[in-house]
Amino acid sequence: MVLTSVEKMVGLQKKTSGIRNICILAHVDHGKTTLADCLISSNGIISSRLAGKLRYLDSREDEQIRGITMKSSAISLHFVKGDQEYLINLIDSPGHVDFSSEVSTAVRLCDGCIIVVDAVEGVCPQTQAVLRQAWLENIRPVLVINKIDRLIVELKLTPQEAYLHLKNILEQVNAITGALFTSKVLEERAEKETESESISDIAPGDQIYDWSAGLEDTDDSHLYFSPDHGNVVFASAIDGWGFGIEHFAKLYSQKIGIKAAVLLKTLWGDYYLNTKAKKIMKGDQSKGKKPLFVQLVLDNIWSLYEAVMKRDKEKIEKIVTSLGLKIGARESRHADPKVHLNAICSQWLPISDAVLSMVCNKLPSPLDITAERVEKLMCVGARTFDSLPPETQELKSAFMKCSSEGTAPVIVFVSKMFAVDAKALPHNKPRPLTQEEIAHRRELAKQRHAEKLAANQGKELSEKPPGENSSEVTGSAGDTKGEEQQLTGQVEIMTSKAMKQEANNKESFIAFARVFSGVVQRGQKIFVLGPKYDPAESLHKLSSQCSATDDLPLVPHMTCCTLENLYLLMGRELEDLEEVPAGNVLGIGGLQDFVLKSATLSTSPACPPFTPLNFEATPIVRVAVEPKHPSDMPQLVKGMKLLNQADPCVQVLIQETGEHVLVTAGEVHLQRCLDDLKERFAKVQISVSAPIIPFRETITRPPKVDMVNEEIGKQQKVAVIHQTKEDQNKIPEGIQVDSDGLVTISTPNKQATLSVRAMPLPEEVTRLLEENSDLIRTMEQLNTSLNEDKKTHEINQKTLDRIKEFKQKLEQNLQGRKWRNAVDQIWSFGPRKCGPNILLYNFESYKKSVWQCLGNAVKEVSKYRDFENSIVSGFQLATLSGPMCEEPLMGVCFTVEKWEMNKVGEMLSISSQDPGECGATEHKQSEDTTLTSGFTDGVYSVNEHQDSSQSVPKSPEKISKHKEDVLLADCYGPFSGQLIATMKEACRYALQAKPQRLMAAMYTCEIMATAEVLGRVYAVLSKREGRVLQEEMKEGTDVFIIKAVLPVAESFGFADEIRKRTSGLASPQLVFSHWEIISSDPFWVPTTEEEYLHFGEKADSENQARKYMNAVSRMQKAPK
């Protein structure tokens, strides 16, 4: 096909109904990029012979070497179907789990997606993940079952077996879709129930429970994949063929004489053809007949493959003539039968026609965006659509219309920033010269040649004796001037060349974006809205009609910028555009100073920021980076900033130690980031630390059996006495530890005493706290605004319901005598006020609740009020770094059982509660002032003369004012600081009084391996402390699927080792799953006779927890 011109593409961009924004999603190595190649070759951009070999959208060198896609790339294709023309904006995305963040950026910009599944491997972990992502973004999927040639060539299945295998794959995909749909329906039903409960007050006796789940009433037939719906294509991208059953329905309706509509319904399913009656009958299996799909479709494909593979020339010629194809002599004589096969199949069943026809028929255009999706995009966090300002709600119609009129507000979403070499930008590319430019350059060359000749003549004249001719002397002087000018000209040319080269070496950032409404124009001024931007607040300052060109007041999280360049994304190429109408995907230049990773752009300040992207992978692999030459540090810092902008998932941190840390999603992702840093962004030599493994610290219940699995009885208590005495000696003076772990400690100035106990939280509660960390953060924000009496927007009912449900779940899981009233006594969560640890209060005359936002707020006026934040801060610090290896705590509950303050502390706190109501008499005031200033002496070590001079009685107003200042300073000064430190120490000692354990981060690991290498896979897993959870054989193949868990600490080099040991026959997929307690005690030493006999006096056998703990400590103590 002939290449489509840019002008044609620009014309197609204006017809919104003919635009299809689609992405290709699949598990790694299921054939996405090969399929993309086939679709691109249909536009003449690459040769059809190179499709699958070139991998056009894998433009990075490391993508080509590794053979996997690492980034989302877009390309615009032109497709003609009948008399209609379509513009297809195709985005190819990665399948490797480390790059799943790139999938999220692609999915947000699309209206539909092609799910590709390998016919042999079937549904894999990432297939499930991408189906879930498509579901969450409300985009419609279609299915391509790829690599069907493997069923013929590798597995050597018969057509009947292949049919059953394909049917099984379809069922698996539909089962995932069904599960997602069911969960959605049940959620909606639960919401309706809570609403109806709050509205109606029915007597308990009259209430009748409806047992139906609501699934019977909802129609979900359009969601499922079925060939007769036209949303499934069977293909082999590498061999260039693919078909939907409608192709064969048309073909056979002419041959057999049965209506195409009937064939379309019966070609897939339990139907067979009665050749005598020329009728299609039901029940093929019961009668032992071939299904229609096998008889009319698969048998033909199988016989073609068999003929070509066996080089049966007669049969091939017969097939080619019956299909009316023309095959070149070069292909038919080729040594590789696959080339011949490709030539026949790509003409008979062109994959691009099958897939693009399905995309145009079944996937929506930007005009068909659903109201549900629009509302989801516009509502950030816990806000509902109804709670948005009216001006914002009006923008919904602009989304739905997808209008390209001049009056329509411009709304653009930038899903990621990607770096391109400055040389690749259209204005830097070498272009063919026009006739005028060629003539001009010819004139310049002639002029330069003439000047050179003149200069040479001047030199010859200057070499003659000086007395001969005075005029010659003046001539030579003129020539030297000319030479000087020439030299300066050359210097200028060289400097301009150097500057150009430097500019070309720079990386330019282009925003990967989509226009949801309006027309984007080059040079247009537009608002950039950050993720925390709130239109409700800004509309008080700005009118909804104002534009980015006006002189506006400062609004938080909103800036103005100019769209410098607009680009049409064409895979490896970029084409300049002047304007882009609604519904199109585009690249925007000049946003690198305004957008970090993603942003919303709009001409209307009423536009809300879009919902943040859903990232499947959690960044967990950390490394510290430093330059080999310290002088290169500024370049490294600059390079890391650029890397942070160019990668949607990477995190760049600077720790307290001054280390620069990269946090990535996995080993492959880490390698790509380091390569980019070295070669593209920093361009300096760097040294990288060993991976910094995250751990968590926790406590457990005292064990019932010892290390040799004997019940802990009297024999151990005798031997353990010396150990407990040693432990007690470690505790400094002034700290009391009870036998049941209650720690009592006083502040250094003895003004306050705290008693704290630590208890392990049940696993379910820890999991619940982790899952609801965002909700806890929302609660904290609501409570803060309530405490500060801020006027905030109304808390929507949905958030309150979620908080109530969370509280109920906590109450269900925290039951028993020791957890009585625990949920109501929760003081704080930690670390960072939203972590998986709890602080409880259990002492008299104090009431404080994290559940204030539910309406049970109590304005507390007590002696503790001013210092409660100090206790909470101490708890936050204690949970942020534990005593074993300074790692955060997890699953620990601290209870403050006593908090006593002596008279000075009480005086301080009571007087600071209401400074206006100070003592009635001047004498009382001076007494108080002296008292407090004496207290500050003890803490601040302030000069006594100064204090005494300040406490000389002055006028009552001055004294009370001065007293307020001193009290305020005390409240937030040293006494509160001592309380923080004391609380932190108390928590640490309470933790050490219980059995401590380390928690390791765990990956879930899915490995596909054949039977002969199964033993080697198990050997590698056991060597690396892995644990196999499940092993099952994939139906119809000799492949086993092994599901295991593996500590992140042991995962480095795991994938390479598996591949080496199995000669590439097994490859793992690692996804971060959970935190798991390491059962061994890191401080354990043998105490009983049996343990001495089993482990020896030094207990030299490896203690996994101690090994990890020492490794972390070594890394923290290493010289920075």
Side-chain angles (χ1 to χ4, degrees):
M1 189 176 169
V2 184
L3 260 170
T4 311
S5 66
V6 177
E7 290 73 28
K8 179 76 178 168
M9 293 290 193
V10 170
L12 289 169
Q13 283 187 339
K14 290 171 184 166
K15 297 172 186 168
T16 318
S17 59
I19 296 170
R20 298 288 183 273
N21 296 316
I22 59 163
C23 54
I24 306 179
L25 309 176
H27 187 79
V28 68
D29 284 337
H30 278 203
K32 294 179 298 301
T33 309
T34 306
L35 175 62
D37 268 9
C38 294
L39 303 184
I40 293 164
S41 69
S42 71
N43 266 226
I45 297 167
I46 63 170
S47 158
S48 57
R49 287 175 189 153
L50 290 174
K53 300 175 186 76
L54 186 64
R55 301 207 312 277
Y56 183 72
L57 292 178
D58 286 356
S59 53
R60 290 172 58 100
E61 193 183 343
D62 48 0
E63 287 181 315
Q64 291 287 346
I65 292 165
R66 281 182 180 268
I68 59 169
T69 306
M70 295 186 183
K71 61 171 186 349
S72 300
S73 309
I75 192 163
S76 295
L77 303 175
H78 174 220
F79 178 64
V80 181
K81 190 183 178 210
D83 56 349
Q84 256 204 306
E85 289 186 299
Y86 293 93
L87 174 69
I88 289 162
N89 294 318
L90 176 78
I91 305 174
D92 183 27
S93 63
H96 196 285
V97 68
D98 282 11
F99 305 105
S100 58
S101 57
E102 291 278 349
V103 176
S104 307
T105 63
V107 166
R108 173 59 61 88
L109 305 184
C110 295
D111 302 304
C113 64
I114 301 171
I115 305 285
V116 182
V117 177
D118 187 326
V120 173
E121 293 183 3
V123 174
C124 291
Q126 277 305 101
T127 315
Q128 296 181 24
V130 295
L131 275 165
R132 187 165 59 250
Q133 275 180 306
W135 179 268
L136 290 171
E137 286 287 349
N138 287 63
I139 69 169
R140 198 181 298 168
V142 289
L143 184 68
V144 172
I145 298 181
N146 192 23
K147 302 194 183 184
I148 289 182
D149 60 298
R150 289 182 68 192
L151 301 179
I152 309 169
V153 180
E154 283 180 34
L155 299 186
K156 294 186 168 48
L157 300 182
T158 63
Q160 181 72 34
E161 288 167 343
Y163 169 67
L164 295 171
H165 184 75
L166 293 171
K167 209 172 171 185
N168 189 21
I169 288 172
L170 263 176
E171 281 170 13
Q172 287 174 12
V173 178
N174 286 332
I176 297 163
T177 311
L180 291 166
F181 172 73
T182 307
S183 63
K184 183 191 172 190
V185 169
L186 294 175
E187 269 176 36
E188 284 174 359
R189 188 169 185 275
E191 278 175 26
K192 280 178 190 170
E193 273 181 9
T194 50
E195 281 170 24
S196 61
E197 276 173 24
S198 57
I199 295 163
S200 60
D201 297 321
I202 307 166
D206 303 339
Q207 197 167 358
I208 298 162
Y209 188 74
D210 176 20
W211 290 99
S212 71
L215 289 167
E216 296 83 0
D217 312 327
T218 48
D219 178 33
D220 58 346
S221 57
H222 63 284
L223 295 172
Y224 298 113
F225 300 106
S226 177
D228 52 333
H229 288 170
N231 59 2
V232 179
V233 160
F234 301 95
S236 167
I238 200 76
D239 287 344
W241 61 266
F243 64 88
I245 59 168
E246 58 274 6
H247 173 88
F248 283 96
K250 281 179 195 168
L251 187 76
Y252 285 111
S253 65
Q254 296 161 1
K255 285 193 174 184
I256 306 171
I258 297 171
K259 285 179 185 175
V262 175
L263 275 171
L264 201 59
K265 284 181 183 174
T266 55
L267 256 177
W268 182 264
D270 298 335
Y271 300 96
Y272 72 96
L273 182 67
N274 188 329
T275 44
K276 286 179 186 175
K278 280 205 172 179
K279 279 186 179 178
I280 292 169
M281 317 286 275
K282 201 169 169 54
D284 61 324
Q285 286 179 343
S286 56
K287 292 170 186 173
K289 302 278 186 181
K290 270 188 187 178
L292 263 184
F293 189 72
V294 175
Q295 191 178 351
L296 302 183
V297 181
L298 295 186
D299 276 352
N300 292 324
I301 294 169
W302 256 247
S303 61
L304 171 63
Y305 265 79
E306 192 182 359
V308 176
M309 289 301 177
K310 288 181 178 175
R311 303 284 180 136
D312 188 340
K313 284 186 181 178
E314 284 179 20
K315 196 173 180 184
I316 294 168
E317 278 173 24
K318 194 179 173 186
I319 292 169
V320 169
T321 49
S322 68
L323 293 170
L325 309 176
K326 286 180 183 177
I327 307 299
R330 182 180 171 276
E331 279 84 5
S332 52
R333 289 194 198 124
H334 204 282
D336 184 3
K338 280 274 187 180
V339 173
H340 195 184
L341 195 64
N342 192 316
I344 298 169
C345 294
S346 58
Q347 282 186 49
W348 175 36
L349 303 167
I351 188 170
S352 55
D353 283 4
V355 172
L356 295 178
S357 308
M358 174 173 72
V359 162
C360 297
N361 290 340
K362 293 293 165 188
L363 296 184
S365 75
L367 292 171
D368 303 326
I369 190 167
T370 59
E372 185 188 2
R373 187 179 182 202
V374 171
E375 288 183 16
K376 214 172 180 182
L377 288 175
M378 292 175 80
C379 299
V380 180
R383 297 194 72 166
T384 55
F385 183 72
D386 300 329
S387 69
L388 294 168
E391 297 94 333
T392 304
Q393 291 188 34
E394 282 168 22
L395 289 175
K396 182 181 171 183
S397 61
F399 269 101
M400 301 294 288
K401 284 178 192 167
C402 196
S403 169
S404 299
E405 292 168 13
T407 52
V410 174
I411 302 168
V412 179
F413 181 72
V414 174
S415 72
K416 70 166 182 172
M417 301 292 286
F418 65 95
V420 293
D421 199 342
K423 292 173 194 164
L425 296 175
H427 56 266
N428 291 339
K429 276 184 195 166
R431 59 184 177 78
L433 298 172
T434 59
Q435 287 299 323
E436 293 82 12
E437 283 174 327
I438 291 166
H440 179 62
R441 288 196 178 191
R442 194 182 292 123
E443 286 300 317
L444 282 173
K446 279 179 182 175
Q447 205 176 323
R448 275 201 299 273
H449 186 63
E451 281 172 11
K452 210 172 186 183
L453 283 172
N456 289 340
Q457 282 173 3
K459 267 184 189 177
E460 284 168 18
L461 287 168
S462 63
E463 281 168 11
K464 287 180 181 179
E468 278 188 21
N469 197 343
S470 61
S471 64
E472 285 175 7
V473 176
T474 54
S476 66
D479 285 341
T480 51
K481 271 186 187 176
E483 279 178 32
E484 281 175 17
Q485 284 174 357
Q486 202 174 343
L487 278 167
T488 53
Q490 282 176 350
V491 170
E492 279 173 20
I493 289 164
M494 282 171 74
T495 51
S496 68
K497 272 186 182 175
M499 283 168 73
K500 232 179 193 180
Q501 201 171 352
E502 200 177 308
N504 283 353
N505 287 340
K506 270 189 177 179
E507 292 289 335
S508 287
F509 278 90
I510 290 173
F512 192 39
R514 172 174 167 183
V515 188
F516 282 88
S517 166
V519 180
V520 177
Q521 292 173 333
R522 183 194 283 192
Q524 185 177 16
K525 282 205 96 177
I526 199 162
F527 295 120
V528 179
L529 313 174
K532 290 184 180 177
Y533 172 74
D534 186 359
E537 282 181 27
S538 66
L539 287 171
H540 295 307
K541 298 181 186 178
L542 312 168
S543 78
S544 59
Q545 302 303 316
C546 71
S547 74
T549 50
D550 302 341
D551 197 16
L552 301 169
L554 279 172
V555 176
H557 310 293
M558 181 173 96
T559 53
C560 297
C561 79
T562 306
L563 305 178
E564 289 176 14
N565 293 297
L566 305 178
Y567 300 111
L568 176 69
L569 302 168
M570 293 297 290
R572 300 180 185 188
E573 306 290 323
L574 296 166
E575 299 289 349
D576 266 321
L577 296 173
E578 285 303 315
E579 61 173 41
V580 180
N584 285 288
V585 173
L586 77 158
I588 306 173
L591 290 181
Q592 59 261 43
D593 298 330
F594 302 97
V595 177
L596 179 63
K597 291 187 186 231
S598 64
T600 309
L601 313 178
S602 180
T603 50
S604 164
C607 179
F610 280 32
T611 314
L613 297 164
N614 299 304
F615 289 152
E616 289 280 321
T618 315
I620 196 158
V621 180
R622 295 167 172 249
V623 290
V625 181
E626 64 181 21
K628 283 196 174 166
H629 306 292
S631 58
D632 292 336
M633 196 62 174
Q635 284 107 298
L636 178 69
V637 173
K638 192 180 171 188
M640 288 182 85
K641 278 182 187 170
L642 294 174
L643 175 68
N644 187 34
Q645 194 169 16
D647 194 302
C649 189
V650 78
Q651 291 175 12
V652 174
L653 314 168
I654 299 177
Q655 293 191 322
E656 294 99 344
T657 54
E659 282 180 312
H660 290 75
V661 174
L662 277 182
V663 192
T664 58
E667 239 183 313
V668 184
H669 185 214
L670 171 66
Q671 193 55 53
R672 192 195 80 171
C673 289
L674 293 174
D675 289 346
D676 277 355
L677 199 57
K678 276 187 275 195
E679 290 158 24
R680 293 182 72 183
F681 301 127
K683 292 184 180 171
V684 294
Q685 289 297 307
I686 56 173
S687 38
V688 184
S689 73
I692 304 163
I693 315 297
F695 287 97
R696 295 287 181 266
E697 298 182 26
T698 190
I699 52 173
T700 57
R701 289 181 182 156
K704 290 178 182 175
V705 292
D706 63 12
M707 289 293 279
V708 285
N709 282 342
E710 291 207 358
E711 197 172 335
I712 294 173
K714 289 175 186 175
Q715 88 280 7
Q716 186 171 1
K717 285 181 182 172
V718 178
V720 130
I721 290 167
H722 72 279
Q723 195 185 345
T724 50
K725 278 181 182 172
E726 278 175 24
D727 289 348
Q728 280 173 348
N729 291 341
K730 287 178 192 172
I731 296 165
E733 287 179 27
I735 298 169
Q736 297 168 14
V737 182
D738 291 3
S739 57
D740 60 344
L742 183 70
V743 171
T744 307
I745 185 170
S746 298
T747 54
N749 61 5
K750 311 295 180 204
Q751 304 299 345
T753 306
L754 293 168
S755 293
V756 178
R757 186 193 307 279
M759 290 187 290
L761 283 172
E763 269 182 48
E764 298 79 23
V765 174
T766 310
R767 201 176 303 119
L768 196 63
L769 294 175
E770 268 205 297
E771 286 166 3
N772 291 283
S773 61
D774 289 338
L775 186 64
I776 296 169
R777 200 178 281 117
T778 308
M779 279 166 55
E780 176 62 30
Q781 287 165 358
L782 294 171
N783 291 339
T784 308
S785 55
L786 284 168
N787 289 339
E788 292 172 2
D789 294 328
K790 274 189 187 173
K791 285 187 178 179
T792 54
H793 56 266
E794 284 184 29
I795 307 165
N796 69 64
Q797 195 57 41
K798 200 174 177 184
T799 309
L800 285 177
D801 291 342
R802 282 177 64 207
I803 294 170
K804 281 176 188 168
E805 189 188 347
F806 172 56
K807 189 181 177 186
Q808 282 170 2
K809 283 182 182 174
L810 279 177
E811 282 167 347
Q812 284 166 15
N813 289 312
L814 289 175
Q815 287 184 343
R817 189 173 52 82
K818 66 176 180 179
W819 297 111
R820 192 175 295 139
N821 300 329
V823 176
D824 292 320
Q825 291 174 346
I826 295 174
W827 196 349
S828 181
F829 300 95
R832 298 188 179 89
K833 299 200 174 179
C834 60
N837 303 286
I838 292 178
L839 175 66
L840 304 179
Y841 62 86
N842 192 13
F843 51 92
E844 295 297 317
S845 71
Y846 182 77
K847 264 197 172 175
K848 174 85 179 178
S849 175
V850 289
W851 312 108
Q852 284 180 24
C853 48
L854 292 177
N856 49 4
V858 182
K859 273 279 178 188
E860 186 60 35
V861 180
S862 76
K863 59 183 178 180
Y864 304 118
R865 196 189 77 172
D866 290 291
F867 299 116
E868 62 190 19
N869 282 346
S870 301
I871 299 294
V872 172
S873 298
F875 160 73
Q876 299 297 341
L877 287 171
T879 51
L880 195 58
S881 60
M884 278 196 284
C885 47
E886 302 299 323
E887 290 287 325
L889 301 185
M890 191 170 188
V892 182
C893 170
F894 292 103
T895 311
V896 180
E897 302 212 342
K898 188 172 78 174
W899 180 9
E900 288 178 354
M901 290 172 74
N902 70 5
K903 295 226 170 158
V904 177
E906 283 180 35
M907 289 287 300
L908 182 59
S909 121
I910 291 164
S911 30
S912 66
Q913 274 170 28
D914 194 355
E917 295 176 12
C918 292
T921 62
E922 202 174 303
H923 171 70
K924 179 85 175 89
Q925 281 173 342
S926 61
E927 193 181 353
D928 274 1
T929 315
T930 322
L931 186 69
T932 48
S933 57
F935 173 63
T936 51
D937 276 353
V939 180
Y940 278 116
S941 306
V942 178
N943 192 328
E944 275 183 30
H945 298 295
Q946 275 184 324
D947 261 14
S948 57
S949 67
Q950 281 175 354
S951 62
V952 172
K954 296 174 188 172
S955 66
E957 294 91 15
K958 280 184 182 176
I959 292 169
S960 63
K961 193 172 186 307
H962 165 68
K963 182 168 152 292
E964 281 176 39
D965 292 344
V966 172
L967 291 169
L968 200 67
D970 280 338
C971 176
Y972 298 104
F975 183 57
S976 57
Q978 287 184 36
L979 268 176
I980 291 171
T982 307
M983 179 62 185
K984 183 185 172 185
E985 290 303 303
C987 290
R988 281 199 154 206
Y989 288 121
L991 202 73
Q992 287 171 320
K994 295 286 166 101
Q996 296 177 79
R997 295 288 183 273
L998 265 186
M999 293 182 87
M1002 304 297 278
Y1003 277 137
T1004 48
C1005 168
E1006 287 220 3
I1007 307 167
M1008 297 183 77
T1010 50
E1012 60 264 24
V1013 295
L1014 215 53
R1016 292 176 208 167
V1017 170
Y1018 283 150
V1020 176
L1021 274 170
S1022 59
K1023 176 185 157 190
R1024 290 175 175 263
E1025 310 283 352
R1027 194 172 72 251
V1028 176
L1029 303 176
Q1030 191 184 346
E1031 178 200 292
E1032 56 183 28
M1033 196 171 188
K1034 213 162 186 56
E1035 201 178 322
T1037 67
D1038 62 343
V1039 174
F1040 284 86
I1041 298 171
I1042 302 149
K1043 289 184 182 173
V1045 286
L1046 181 77
V1048 173
E1050 302 288 345
S1051 69
F1052 299 98
F1054 173 72
D1056 285 343
E1057 191 178 353
I1058 283 265
R1059 282 195 204 98
K1060 280 175 192 168
R1061 292 287 297 275
T1062 61
S1063 307
L1065 291 173
S1067 58
Q1069 280 270 314
L1070 299 171
V1071 186
F1072 174 70
S1073 166
H1074 64 287
W1075 296 90
E1076 196 172 279
I1077 296 175
I1078 300 168
S1079 56
S1080 52
D1081 180 358
F1083 301 110
W1084 176 81
V1085 288
T1087 48
T1088 64
E1089 201 173 323
E1090 288 86 350
E1091 285 176 346
Y1092 273 117
L1093 285 168
H1094 192 275
F1095 293 102
E1097 195 173 330
K1098 291 182 181 176
D1100 292 320
S1101 63
E1102 191 73 338
N1103 179 335
Q1104 194 192 358
R1106 189 183 301 168
K1107 182 181 84 174
Y1108 291 150
M1109 191 176 84
N1110 293 342
V1112 173
S1113 304
R1114 266 199 302 277
M1115 189 159 277
Q1116 287 169 350
K1117 287 172 188 170
K1120 302 287 184 276

